[in-house]
Amino acid sequence: MQDQPKNVAQLAKGESGVIAGFSDDELALKLMEMGCLPGETITINFRAPLGDPISVHVLDYNLSIRVREAATIILEP
Amino acid sequence: MSIKSNPKIVLVGNPNSGKSSLFNQLTGLNQKVGNFPGVTVDRKVGHCQLDEHARAEIIDLPGLYSLYPKSADEEIVIQSLLDPEHQDYPDVAVVVVDVSNLKRNLLLFTQVRDLGFPTVLALNMVDVATKGGLEVDLEVIKQSFGIQMVPINARTGKGIDDLKHLLGNPLMKECEPFYDMSTSADQVIEAVQNGHHFCNRYRAFQFAMHVDRIPSFQGDTRHKIIDAKYEHQFNEKALQTEDTLGRYKKIGEVIDHALHRRETTTVDWTKRLDSVLTHKVWGYAIFLGVLFLIFQGIFAWASWPMDLIDGVFGATASLLSGLLPSGMLSDLVTEGIIPGLGGILIFIPQIALLFAFIALLEESGYMSRVVFLMDKLMRPFGLNGKSVVPLISGWACAVPAIMAARNIENKRERLITIFVTPFMSCSARLPVYTILIGLVIPETYFLGIFGAQGLVMLGLYTLGVVAALGSAWFLKGRVKDKTRNFLIMEMPTYKWPRWRNVGMTILEKVKAFVLEAGRVILAISIVLWVLATYGPAEDMARAQTEWESQYADQPAISETPEAQAQLASLKLEQSYAGHLGKAIEPTISPLGYDWKIGIALLTSFAAREVFVGSLATLYSVGDSEDELGIRDRLRNEVVPETGEPRYTLALGLSLMVFYAFAMQCMSTLAVTYRETKSIFWPLAQLFFMTGIAYVSALVVYQLLV
C-alpha cells in the first residue's frame, strides 16, 4: 500500500515542503490567494504555545494558519 | 482625455500594504469616517488637492487579497469597483502594493487593472526593500503591466508629491488584459457583453461571477446573466481557481525579471522578537503585562482629565443656574442637558487612551501575535483570537468595543463576540462599585497586602470576564451559521508605529463614541430628567405642601441647603420616576431593594454611573460630588419596618452583582442593533443579561441575609 501524502500539519518546526495541492476545495482558493501556491516552498516558523495555530513562511512573508487548515495543504512526496 | 476637476479616486490594496498610511498622507485631517449604506463597514473618505485645478475625492476601500471576497468588508470593494451605480464607483484606481511581498500583492493589482480602470500602481516601501537587499527593476514592472507606476514610502511621505502629480494629469488606460481567461467561460462572457457593450472581457467575467452582489443588476439583465451561467455551466470555484493560478503564473514570470535578491547580513528583528513574544512563557507573561498597562492607563492615567471634565461641567452648571432666570428652561439646561453632556464627555479620556493602546498594538504588528496566542484559548468558547480586541475594549466602553468586532470574518463568531462584550466591566460601572465597596466592605487586609476592598473589586472584574466567556460558551451551539470559520491571517513584520496613524485612530474612535453613544445618552438623560422632575400634579402639590408645613413657623431655615435637598427628595418621590420606582418595588424587594434603589436602577439606563447621582438626590445629599456624604447617609438609612440598617453586606453585594451583569445601557443596545441589523440581538442581550443579573442578585441576597 502506498504511503499517504504528507501535509503541512505534519511538518516539524523549521521543516519545509513543496506544496502539491489541497484536500479542501473551499479553503484552497483562500490559501492560494494568500500565496500558498502549488510549487511554492512552505516552511514552519513556529507553533503557538498551545500547539495551534502555526506560523508558516511562504512567498517571502509569514502567515498564521490553524492546524486544521494546514492539514488541507498536501505536500509533494 | 482631459481630467475631471474633481475625480473620484479609490485606494485598493492588501491589508498591511500601507494603504491607510497613504490615505492619511493624501488627505491629512481632511477625512471623515462614515458607513457604507446598508452595511456596517467603515467608509473613509477624504479630499486631496492634486494641483491648482484638480481636487480629488479619495476613498479608502477596505483591504482585501483578491476580487473573490470572504467577508462583508471585502464585498464592499467588489460592489464599488463593479457597480457603475455605486456612489464610490471610481474614475481612477490606485492600487497600493508592498514591494516586500510583491508576488502576493500583485494578484489583486492585476485583477483591478484588468477591470479596465485607469490604474496607478503605488509601489510602497521600495527604499526600505532596497536597503534589505532587494533590487527592484522598476522599468520591467512598468513595461510588463503597461501602466503608470510611482515608488512611494507611505510612512515617510516620500513619493507622495509624484503620485499627486501623476493623478492630476490624464492617465492612460490599457486595453490589453494582463491575463486573459481561457475559453471555458467565453459563452457567458459574450452573453454579458451583449447587454453591456462597454465592458471588456475580464469585467464581463467578474460581472457574471458577482451578479448577485451587484444591486443595480436587476430584472432582465440579471436573469440573462444567470441563465447564461446555468446554460454554459459556469463553475465559479473552478474559474476562480483558474483565474488565481493563471495570474500567479504570469506574475511569477514578471517577478523573475524584475526582482533580484542580494545576500545580506541584516538582522531579522521580526524573527528575534517573535521568539520572545510568542514564547510559551514569555509570550503570555508579556501579554498579561500589556493588559496590566492598559488597565493602569484606563484607571490611573485617565483619572485626572476625567476629574477636570467633571469639575468644568459642575462649575458650568452652577454658574449657569446662577445666571439664568430660574424656571423650567434653566432647570432643563442645568439639571438635564449639562450633566447629560458631562456624562458623555467624561468617558473620552478612557476611550482615547484605550484606543491609543490598541492602535499602537495594531500598528506595531503585535496585535496579530495576540490573536495567534489567544486563538486556541478562545475557540472552546465559540470565539476566535480576533475576539480579544473587542473584549479588552469592553473595559472602557462597550460601544466602541462592539464596533471593533467588525474585523471578525465569521458571522457566528462576530455575533457571539458582540453579544458577550457588554459583560466586560465598563468604566461606567466603576463609580457604582466604588461607592458600594466603600459602604459595605471593611478596610481589612489579609497577609498584610491584600486589601478586602481591592479583592472585591478584582472579583467583580473577574466576574465580568467569566460571564462573558460563559455566555459565549452557552451560545456556541445555539447560534447557527453555515459559513466555515477559519483563521488564515498575515503576520506582518514588526514596525515602529506611525504616530499620525495612532492619532487618527484615536480621533476616529472618540468621534464615533460621542456621535453614537452620546446621542442616546443625551436623549435618555433629558427623558429621565423630565420623569424625575414632573409628576402627577396633585402628588407634586402634596409634596410641596408637606414640606412647607414643616418649615411654616421658621421660613428662614427653609432656604438652607439641607431643607432644599429635602424638598428635592420629597418631589422625586412623587415624580413619575418615583411612581415607577414604587411600581417595580415588589419585583425587586426579593433582592433586598426598595423603591429608592428602584429609581436608581431605572435612571441607570442612561448610563450606569447615574446611579450615584440618583442616590444623592433620593437621600437628599445636597452635593452629588460629595462621595463621603452619600456614603454616610446610606450607612444611616434604616428599613422602616425593622429599624435595621438598609445597606447591609448582603444588599451591597447583591447590588454589585446586579450591576456586574445587568444590561443597563441604552447606547450599547442601540449599537448592537446597528451592528447586527436585527432587533433580536439587542432584545436578547437585554433579557439574557438582566435575567442573569436578577437571578444572581437574588441568590446572593437570599444566601447572605
Side-chain angles (χ1 to χ4, degrees):
Chain A
M1 213 176 100
Q2 254 192 328
D3 278 346
Q4 282 281 314
K6 226 178 171 184
N7 66 51
V8 171
Q10 293 161 330
L11 291 178
K13 182 179 167 177
E15 239 187 310
S16 303
V18 175
I19 300 173
F22 305 90
S23 60
D24 182 315
D25 283 347
E26 218 176 316
L27 287 175
L29 186 68
K30 175 74 186 167
L31 286 164
M32 283 193 283
E33 282 172 12
M34 298 300 283
C36 301
L37 297 164
E40 292 287 340
T41 304
I42 186 166
T43 312
I44 308 282
N45 290 327
F46 47 82
R47 283 168 188 272
L50 300 166
D52 191 10
I54 53 182
S55 162
V56 298
H57 189 83
V58 66
L59 220 68
D60 276 340
Y61 83 110
N62 299 321
L63 185 68
S64 157
I65 48 178
R66 287 179 180 162
V67 171
R68 202 173 57 202
E69 290 135 24
T72 69
I73 307 177
I74 311 296
L75 296 171
E76 282 179 9
Chain B
M1 187 182 85
S2 71
I3 180 151
K4 284 202 317 211
S5 60
N6 43 3
K8 209 175 258 183
I9 298 175
V10 292
L11 302 185
V12 193
N14 287 179
N16 301 308
S17 61
K19 196 167 54 65
S20 300
S21 294
L22 176 62
F23 179 71
N24 287 341
Q25 291 280 4
L26 284 174
T27 62
L29 282 171
N30 234 328
Q31 51 173 273
K32 64 172 199 271
V33 184
N35 269 311
F36 286 97
V39 281
T40 48
V41 174
D42 282 344
R43 176 177 180 270
K44 290 190 183 174
V45 188
H47 288 92
C48 176
Q49 199 72 42
L50 298 175
D51 53 31
E52 58 269 37
H53 309 296
R55 182 175 158 85
E57 188 183 13
I58 315 269
I59 300 138
D60 185 16
L61 292 175
L64 81 170
Y65 292 100
S66 78
L67 289 188
Y68 306 116
K70 308 287 182 289
S71 69
D73 281 38
E74 298 177 1
E75 296 213 355
I76 290 299
V77 184
I78 307 305
Q79 288 177 351
S80 133
L81 292 179
L82 290 183
D83 185 357
E85 313 276 306
H86 195 278
Q87 61 170 343
D88 294 331
Y89 185 76
D91 298 310
V92 177
V94 173
V95 184
V96 188
V97 159
D98 184 344
V99 78
S100 69
N101 193 353
L102 194 56
K103 191 167 175 179
R104 199 203 62 209
N105 275 260
L106 284 176
L107 173 69
L108 177 68
F109 165 75
T110 65
Q111 288 179 328
V112 174
R113 174 201 177 278
D114 285 355
L115 288 177
F117 293 112
T119 310
V120 173
L121 174 60
L123 205 54
N124 196 11
M125 308 301 260
V126 177
D127 48 352
V128 179
T130 312
K131 270 186 218 144
L134 200 65
E135 271 172 55
V136 194
D137 192 331
L138 300 179
E139 210 40 52
V140 171
I141 291 184
K142 222 176 193 166
Q143 293 302 325
S144 318
F145 297 117
I147 34 83
Q148 283 90 344
M149 181 201 58
V150 195
I152 60 165
N153 185 326
R155 290 160 71 78
T156 61
K158 214 173 124 187
I160 301 297
D161 286 337
D162 299 338
L163 178 62
K164 283 188 197 173
H165 178 74
L166 190 66
L167 291 170
N169 287 295
L171 291 159
M172 57 172 173
K173 204 160 107 177
E174 191 56 45
C175 301
E176 281 298 302
F178 172 73
Y179 169 75
D180 200 6
M181 298 293 298
S182 72
T183 51
S184 51
D186 274 358
Q187 289 105 327
V188 175
I189 290 175
E190 274 160 30
V192 178
Q193 279 180 319
N194 278 339
H196 300 78
H197 296 289
F198 57 86
C199 77
N200 68 26
R201 276 172 56 82
Y202 191 62
R203 178 174 281 269
F205 170 73
Q206 291 293 349
F207 270 167
M209 190 64 82
H210 299 297
V211 63
D212 289 322
R213 292 198 169 92
I214 301 167
S216 72
F217 281 4
Q218 288 302 333
D220 239 19
T221 339
R222 186 166 171 271
H223 288 299
K224 269 187 190 144
I225 298 176
I226 291 174
D227 289 347
K229 280 172 77 172
Y230 185 75
E231 187 187 336
H232 302 292
Q233 293 161 6
F234 188 85
N235 183 339
E236 293 191 1
K237 276 265 138 51
L239 288 164
Q240 290 179 5
T241 306
E242 186 199 320
D243 187 37
T244 307
L245 285 175
R247 282 175 190 279
Y248 263 132
K249 188 157 175 278
K250 278 200 83 174
I251 293 166
E253 288 160 14
V254 174
I255 286 194
D256 285 343
H257 286 102
L259 276 195
H260 302 285
R261 205 169 293 275
R262 273 183 289 120
E263 281 308 312
T264 49
T265 49
T266 46
V267 186
D268 190 345
W269 282 107
T270 293
K271 206 168 183 175
R272 288 193 178 186
L273 278 170
D274 269 339
S275 66
V276 180
L277 294 177
T278 63
H279 185 269
K280 58 180 173 248
V281 178
W282 302 123
Y284 289 107
I286 291 168
F287 179 52
L288 276 179
V290 169
L291 285 187
F292 180 77
L293 203 70
I294 293 177
F295 245 88
Q296 183 72 14
I298 297 179
F299 297 125
W301 305 341
S303 67
W304 69 264
M306 291 174 80
D307 291 344
L308 190 74
I309 293 172
D310 202 26
V312 167
F313 273 88
T316 313
S318 47
L319 184 74
L320 278 180
S321 71
L323 287 178
L324 291 172
S326 63
M328 196 187 92
L329 193 66
S330 156
D331 287 351
L332 173 65
V333 171
T334 57
E335 292 168 21
I337 294 175
I338 292 185
L341 278 177
I344 300 159
L345 298 183
I346 195 143
F347 292 116
I348 288 179
Q350 289 186 327
I351 288 167
L353 261 168
L354 180 86
F355 282 98
F357 278 114
I358 289 183
L360 277 176
L361 300 184
E362 301 255 21
E363 278 273 304
S364 63
Y366 180 65
M367 203 52 108
S368 64
R369 274 70 182 182
V370 172
V371 175
F372 184 73
L373 284 174
M374 297 303 287
D375 185 57
K376 179 102 189 255
L377 289 171
M378 302 305 271
R379 253 188 284 165
F381 302 105
L383 300 169
N384 135 348
K386 291 184 179 171
S387 311
V388 173
V389 181
L391 290 178
I392 295 174
S393 313
W395 279 331
C397 176
V399 171
I402 285 174
M403 294 198 266
R406 285 177 187 175
N407 71 342
I408 301 174
E409 292 99 350
N410 183 265
K411 199 176 152 204
R412 188 178 72 153
E413 291 168 339
R414 176 158 176 255
L415 278 176
I416 296 182
T417 308
I418 289 176
F419 191 87
V420 305
T421 293
F423 274 119
M424 301 297 283
S425 252
C426 68
S427 44
R429 286 173 172 109
L430 195 61
V432 181
Y433 292 163
T434 310
I435 199 150
L436 291 172
I437 287 178
L439 190 63
V440 299
I441 308 292
E443 262 183 273
T444 47
Y445 284 84
F446 307 104
L447 306 170
I449 43 167
F450 299 109
Q453 297 191 333
L455 283 176
V456 171
M457 185 67 92
L458 184 68
L460 288 166
Y461 273 82
T462 315
L463 212 57
V465 177
V466 171
L469 293 180
S471 316
W473 180 82
F474 172 80
L475 287 170
K476 190 172 95 169
R478 289 172 173 79
V479 181
K480 296 273 173 281
D481 180 32
K482 297 186 297 291
T483 54
R484 285 279 288 276
N485 62 332
F486 56 81
L487 188 83
I488 299 173
M489 174 189 73
E490 181 173 355
M491 292 189 48
T493 52
Y494 291 104
K495 293 184 186 77
W496 279 114
R498 287 284 118 179
W499 299 109
R500 184 193 180 104
N501 293 353
V502 175
M504 292 286 191
T505 307
I506 298 175
L507 211 66
E508 190 186 300
K509 298 293 174 182
V510 168
K511 244 163 95 182
F513 168 76
V514 172
L515 296 179
E516 298 299 327
R519 278 193 306 219
V520 181
I521 297 178
L522 188 62
I524 303 243
S525 311
I526 293 170
V527 170
L528 287 173
W529 174 82
V530 170
L531 285 180
T533 310
Y534 296 94
E538 47 190 285
D539 292 345
M540 295 301 274
R542 186 150 21 88
Q544 183 79 24
T545 335
E546 189 187 323
W547 177 78
E548 274 165 9
S549 68
Q550 272 186 45
Y551 294 95
D553 44 346
Q554 43 204 143
I557 303 180
S558 70
E559 289 304 315
T560 60
E562 290 80 22
Q564 288 297 324
Q566 200 193 354
L567 174 63
S569 169
L570 283 170
K571 277 192 167 168
L572 180 55
E573 181 176 353
Q574 293 306 331
S575 69
Y576 293 114
H579 284 278
L580 276 175
K582 285 190 174 150
I584 64 166
E585 194 174 19
T587 331
I588 55 176
S589 63
L591 314 185
Y593 310 160
D594 61 356
W595 62 270
K596 293 184 180 179
I597 298 177
I599 296 178
L601 291 184
L602 290 174
T603 54
S604 290
F605 247 98
R608 293 174 174 94
E609 82 282 2
V610 170
F611 176 80
V612 181
S614 298
L615 285 185
T617 314
L618 284 163
Y619 291 117
S620 29
V621 182
D623 180 7
S624 67
E625 296 302 306
D626 180 8
E627 211 170 90
L628 280 176
I630 300 174
R631 219 175 266 173
D632 283 340
R633 182 61 195 79
L634 293 182
R635 204 166 272 143
N636 295 329
E637 174 77 0
V638 291
V639 181
E641 297 85 46
T642 59
E644 305 266 315
R646 160 79 63 190
Y647 285 86
T648 56
L649 179 67
L651 174 74
L653 286 176
S654 157
L655 261 179
M656 284 183 234
V657 168
F658 190 87
Y659 269 84
F661 293 148
M663 167 46 85
Q664 293 167 291
C665 179
M666 279 302 274
S667 325
T668 304
L669 292 175
V671 89
T672 300
Y673 170 67
R674 238 202 36 194
E675 295 289 307
T676 58
K677 295 266 165 286
S678 138
I679 192 75
F680 171 79
W681 287 104
L683 284 179
Q685 239 171 3
L686 176 64
F687 289 109
F688 183 80
M689 292 180 68
T690 312
I692 290 186
Y694 187 86
V695 174
S696 320
L698 180 71
V699 170
V700 167
Y701 185 73
Q702 296 298 339
L703 282 181
L704 290 175
V705 78

